[in-house]
């Protein structure tokens, strides 16, 4: 079984599950991962040959891009920020609003998106000598191998009490207690893979566009917090410039989600939470070793 | 064909079902009640062999016997107040961040134990813990829900476990190297049969069997009551626990409180005017666990009885507000966060007062204070096993929002510090936190829980 073979040679970073979920129709297989990696860096997948997946998901920036809004072909700016695409193999839905149910469904959408790569998926596939299915399966397989773990936080959880500083340990206590972050940011990937309105609703209605449920107005998918310190600005619209600003935002507690409320954090507590968020930065690995 | 009758192997007040049988079916590990000492029952000789005596605040919990019947792996509550994994007195895994462990099966070579690790952030993990030291191999993490049981096939290749999906328990077969997983339908408490092809499991009070490859299912027995599959012997006999008897709430001259659901009730609390009794009642055919508890409020001078399902994972110890409109309970929400909650009697609406991941509900004490403020004490279990007063907080409910009044020696109103207040203002009565400020003990009424519950261990030859 190929999947078995892959699990045997992809050393999953500390903190993540050994089981890397993949659909029965597209099990992880070395050839597809290698092909997917090539495609991920290939600008020919965009209409004018200027944009690759890596333009917005840069391996040197934790697979995000450092911009508040994604910039695609012809320097067009899209409505949302490019998320870090880390540990997405463990994801349940994709995009900030969860409109894609699988990576296979997701990976072709940026190609077709006129603001991003602007090309018919079949044409893009033909340009690189593949069928649409081959392209889809290879890209999805490669994305599944982009894994982040082995952070001080993971080492602390694995039992190394010295892996976090005293301030970070105090931050972890807050994260799980008074600051209630763990209500949504939990598990190996620090996300519940669910949708929440964490702040005042803006022009982007988020999950509501998909579900049409009133409570989903302004709700977005909880992002993993892995490598978060490496990729300001934050939130779906890049509206918060720093981790300090994110903690202030939660302290105000203006979102309509039942888990959000004013936290009344002291200045010291805010600082401890920020130092903890920095401890989520570890090692990112991708592709086959 | 004649189905063989089940055979009662063992019973007694000391039986807890926190154990499993050996492959040859001759012995079974058990954590004794109330001492929490780990022992081995020898079914034929009717003897009890001591394995690990409890020691002050230290004691054994879940336990399983190795394939050769020579070793016992068990969870051990250590002197630092969390659970570690031990084998015959030796610590094999100890990590405060996975502060609860449940060993479920030995690998065939006896070198590792398939174990559930419960992390402080409310996730549980299916892991292989090597006995020679080194980090566990975490195969799969589950948020909020945890398997009730998992088992390893005899060849050590496949794990079967159950997990909560929506409101249903579903079974999964997971490769022991983490390379593959598939869902195989509804069920709880799965165990592999000897042939490694079939899984037996519980559905309510029925015992079922699934042939994994074909997906074929058949019912093996029904009407089994509250039973818990514990293990399958080399001879393909199922050893299972059975919870017999029950608990009932009584008041006055030993009148039972329940009108409709006897023998499944506990934790009574009187309203201030003595008209209402609230208690906790179990529903459904749940085998073990606390998922289906509801609150019942009973007007004692009439036959008026109302049921409130607060939608909490655990609910316990209801206390009435002075106006009898709200109940203060301790418990845990569906995300496993333990704490204290207010339940509106009329609507069933639940407001969390204080809650935190990774704690046991029993660590919380709560009471109503003056002007319907709420006092919460969060205890910490310390080295000597004593519960110490920590983090006393008081809350006031104002306009639907909770305001902190008092926290660790500081008196606050709506977040503004207002001088200080000493812990002596908190009123205790025996072990019970009674509230803040003055409290009137007069006119307290009696209500209590009586239990006839006992655990039995049975054996049943599985049909071929």
């Amino acid at each position: 079984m190929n999947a078995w073979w892959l699990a045997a040679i992809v050393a999953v970073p500390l903190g993540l599950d050994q089981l890397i979920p993949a659909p029965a129709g597209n099990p992880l297989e070395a050839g597809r991962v290698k092909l997917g990696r090539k495609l991920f860096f290939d600008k020919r997948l965009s209409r004018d040959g200027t944009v690759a997946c890596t333009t917005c998901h840069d391996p040197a920036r934790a697979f995000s891009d450092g911009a508040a809004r994604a910039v695609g072909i012809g320097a067009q700016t899209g409505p949302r920020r490019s998320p870090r695409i880390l540990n997405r193999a463990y994801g349940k839905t994709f995009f900030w609003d969860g409109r894609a149910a699988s990576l296979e469904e997701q990976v072709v959408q940026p190609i077709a998106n006129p603001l991003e790569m602007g090309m018919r998926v079949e044409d893009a596939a033909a340009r690189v000598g593949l069928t649409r299915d081959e392209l889809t399966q290879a890209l999805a397989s490669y994305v599944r191998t982009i894994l982040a773990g082995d952070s001080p936080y993971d080492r602390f959880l694995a039992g190394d009490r010295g892996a976090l500083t005293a301030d970070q340990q105090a931050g972890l206590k807050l994260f799980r207690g008074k600051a209630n972050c763990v209500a949504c940011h939990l598990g190996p990937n620090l996300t519940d893979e669910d949708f929440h309105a964490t702040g005042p609703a803006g022009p982007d209605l988020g999950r509501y566009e998909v579900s049409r449920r009133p409570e989903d107005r302004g709700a977005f998918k909880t992002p993993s917090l892995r490598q978060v310190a490496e990729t300001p600005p934050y939130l779906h619209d890049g509206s918060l410039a720093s981790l300090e600003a994110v903690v202030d935002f939660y302290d105000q507690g203006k979102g309509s989600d039942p888990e959000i409320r004013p936290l009344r954090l002291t200045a010291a507590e805010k600082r401890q939470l920020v130092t903890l968020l920095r401890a989520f930065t570890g090692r990112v690995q991708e592709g086959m070793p | 064909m004649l189905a063989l009758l089940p055979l009662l192997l063992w019973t007694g007040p000391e039986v807890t079902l926190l154990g499993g049988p050996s492959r040859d079916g001759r012995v079974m590990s058990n954590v004794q009640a109330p001492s929490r000492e780990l022992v081995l029952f020898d079914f034929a000789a009717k003897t009890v062999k001591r394995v690990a005596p409890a020691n002050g605040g230290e004691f054994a919990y879940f336990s399983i016997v190795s394939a050769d019947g020579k070793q016992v792996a068990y969870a051990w509550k250590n002197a630092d107040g969390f659970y570690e994994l031990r084998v015959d007195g030796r610590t094999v895994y100890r990590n405060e961040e996975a502060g609860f462990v449940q060993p479920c099966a030995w690998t065939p070579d006896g070198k590792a134990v398939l174990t559930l690790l419960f992390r402080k952030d409310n996730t549980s993990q299916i892991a292989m813990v090597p006995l020679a030291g080194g980090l566990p191999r975490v195969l799969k993490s589950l948020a909020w829900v945890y398997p009730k049981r998992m088992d390893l096939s005899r060849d050590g290749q496949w794990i079967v476990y159950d997990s909560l999906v929506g409101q249903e328990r579903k079974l999964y077969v997971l490769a022991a190297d983490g390379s593959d997983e598939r869902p195989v339908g509804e069920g709880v408490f799965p165990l592999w049969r000897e042939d490694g092809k079939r899984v037996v499991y519980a559905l309510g009070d029925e015992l079922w069997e699934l042939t994994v490859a074909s997906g074929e299912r058949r019912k093996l027995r029904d009407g089994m009551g509250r039973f818990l599959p514990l293990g399958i012997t080399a001879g393909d006999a199922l050893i299972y626990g059975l919870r017999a008897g029950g608990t009932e709430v009584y008041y006055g001259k030993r009148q039972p409180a329940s009108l409709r659901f006897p023998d499944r009730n506990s934790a009574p609390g009187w309203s201030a005017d003595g008209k209402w009794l609230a208690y906790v009642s179990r529903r459904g055919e749940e085998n073990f666990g606390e998922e289906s508890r509801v609150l019942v409020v009973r007007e004692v001078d009439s036959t008026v009885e109302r049921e409130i399902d607060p939608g909490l994972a655990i609910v316990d110890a209801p206390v009435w507000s002075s106006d009898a409109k709200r109940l203060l309970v301790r418990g845990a929400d569906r995300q496993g966060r333990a704490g204290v909650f207010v339940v509106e009697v009329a609507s069933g609406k639940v407001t969390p007062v204080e809650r935190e991941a990774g704690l046991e509900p029993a660590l919380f004490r709560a009471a109503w204070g003056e002007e319907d403020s709420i006092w919460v004490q969060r205890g910490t279990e310390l080295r000597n096993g004593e519960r110490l007063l920590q983090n006393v907080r008081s809350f006031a409910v104002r306009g639907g929002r909770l305001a902190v009044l008092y926290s660790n020696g500081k008196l606050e109103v709506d977040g503004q510090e207002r001088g200080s207040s000493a812990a002596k203002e908190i009123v205790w009565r025996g072990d019970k936190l009674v509230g803040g400020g003055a409290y009137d003990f007069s006119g307290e009424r009696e209500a209590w829980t009586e239990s006839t519950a006992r655990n039995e261990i049975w054996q049943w030859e599985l049909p071929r």
Side-chain angles (χ1 to χ4, degrees), chain A residues 153 156-157 161 164-183 185 190 261 263 265 268-277 279-280, chain B residues 96-97 120-121 337 354-359 363-364 378-382 390-391 393 408:
Chain A
Y153 171 72
F156 183 79
L157 291 200
R161 308 306 285 175
L164 295 183
T165 65
D167 264 359
Q168 286 170 332
Q169 292 187 33
L172 183 55
K173 252 190 130 158
L174 291 164
F175 194 83
R176 291 169 176 169
K178 183 175 174 186
N180 196 36
C181 315
V182 80
H185 296 287
L190 294 154
R261 54 171 188 249
L263 299 174
L265 298 170
E269 287 172 336
K270 289 182 184 174
R271 195 175 41 76
Q272 289 165 337
L273 269 175
V274 170
T275 62
L276 172 73
L277 293 171
F280 296 149
Chain B
E96 191 171 351
E97 286 294 314
K120 282 194 173 164
D121 68 353
R337 285 172 296 179
E354 182 95 318
R355 61 183 167 178
E356 187 171 334
L359 296 178
L363 288 179
F364 288 87
R378 222 192 75 185
T380 316
E381 249 165 326
L382 289 183
Q390 201 213 27
N391 252 339
R393 279 151 78 78
N408 279 354

Side-chain angles (χ1 to χ4, degrees), chain A residues 1 3-5 7 14-21 153 156-161 172-173 176-178 180 182-188 190 192 194 253 258-262 264, chain B residues 93-98 119-123 125 135 137-144 158 174 177-181 333 335 337 352 355-357 378 390 401-404 414-415:
Chain A
M1 200 171 12
W4 176 84
W5 178 62
L14 180 68
L16 305 184
D17 291 356
Q18 295 290 324
L19 177 75
I20 303 173
Y153 171 72
F156 183 79
L157 291 200
D160 176 359
R161 308 306 285 175
L172 183 55
K173 252 190 130 158
R176 291 169 176 169
K178 183 175 174 186
N180 196 36
V182 80
C184 306
H185 296 287
L186 79 167
L190 294 154
D192 59 357
D194 209 342
E259 296 289 352
I260 297 289
R261 54 171 188 249
R264 299 210 173 93
Chain B
Y93 179 64
R94 184 192 148 96
N95 177 4
E96 191 171 351
E97 286 294 314
R119 291 177 19 157
K120 282 194 173 164
D121 68 353
N122 261 330
T123 47
Q125 301 186 313
L135 291 176
R137 256 173 84 84
V138 174
L139 302 171
K140 167 125 187 174
S141 302
L142 297 154
W144 308 330
W158 298 95
L174 169 66
D177 64 1
S179 62
D180 194 13
E181 185 191 61
D333 64 19
Q335 299 176 15
R337 285 172 296 179
R355 61 183 167 178
E356 187 171 334
R378 222 192 75 185
Q390 201 213 27
R401 282 255 171 191
L402 289 163
V404 179
D414 290 337

Side-chain angles (χ1 to χ4, degrees), chain B residues 171-208:
Chain B
L171 300 177
Y172 294 83
V173 171
L174 169 66
D177 64 1
S179 62
D180 194 13
E181 185 191 61
R182 55 191 129 128
V184 292
E186 222 188 330
V188 66
F189 296 117
L191 291 175
W192 285 104
R193 283 192 73 158
E194 274 301 291
D195 61 13
K197 299 191 168 86
R198 290 175 293 172
V199 165
V200 294
Y201 59 92
L203 260 187
D205 65 351
E206 298 172 350
L207 182 73
W208 283 73

Side-chain angles (χ1 to χ4, degrees), chain B residues 304-316:
Chain B
V304 172
E305 188 185 73
R306 268 202 50 225
E307 203 167 290
I308 306 164
D309 183 354
L312 293 168
I314 297 176
V315 56
D316 194 14

